[in-house]
Amino acid sequence: QVQLVESGGGLVQAGGSLRLSCAVSGSIFSFNPFAWYRQAPGKRRELVATITSGGNTNYADSVKGRFTISRDNNKNTVYLQINSLRPEDTAVYYCNGQYHGMYDYWGQGTQVTVSS
């Protein structure tokens, strides 16, 4: 069964860092692209970063220079490194993968809370 499972969220002070992980059950090569989204309370889910099978990345303007998406094909895992955290980064972060480029799979989400 194909699943995406996030981990790595937590409570951190402003200016701190976290690394979120998205473990892929099944083959990571069955998905293209992967993406991280986030949803803050009372707000719509927003796209944060994407990475293709070829390693091409894109970021939302609000996170450029602070967030880095990457993938480790050997570990079947996609990462989101988050630096210089701000209170406005507080949200549930979701991993998304497009299975064979067609079907959306989502993880259960991991909470990131940034205190000021």
Side-chain angles (χ1 to χ4, degrees), residues 6-45:
E6 302 100 332
S7 61
L11 173 62
V12 63
Q13 287 189 330
S17 298
L18 284 173
R19 188 175 78 159
L20 308 184
S21 299
C22 173
V24 181
S25 65
S27 173
I28 195 171
F29 298 106
S30 296
F31 293 87
N32 188 40
F34 282 100
W36 285 95
Y37 288 74
R38 66 184 180 185
Q39 188 167 20
K43 294 190 176 182
R44 296 180 63 179
R45 191 172 295 190

Side-chain angles (χ1 to χ4, degrees), residues 56-114:
N56 294 317
T57 58
N58 277 290
Y59 299 92
D61 288 342
S62 59
V63 306
K64 280 181 182 176
R66 300 189 299 122
F67 289 19
T68 303
I69 188 170
S70 63
R71 56 191 288 163
D72 186 331
N73 293 334
N74 292 327
K75 294 184 177 180
N76 260 15
T77 303
V78 179
Y79 301 100
L80 186 68
Q81 178 68 41
I82 311 175
N83 298 327
S84 303
L85 276 158
R86 305 167 180 169
E88 54 265 37
D89 295 320
T90 295
V92 178
Y93 284 72
Y94 295 92
C95 179
N96 168 274
Q98 288 199 355
Y99 190 66
H100 294 302
M102 293 188 292
Y103 306 108
D104 269 330
Y105 278 79
W106 294 90
Q108 82 287 354
T110 186
Q111 176 71 47
V112 172
T113 303
V114 184

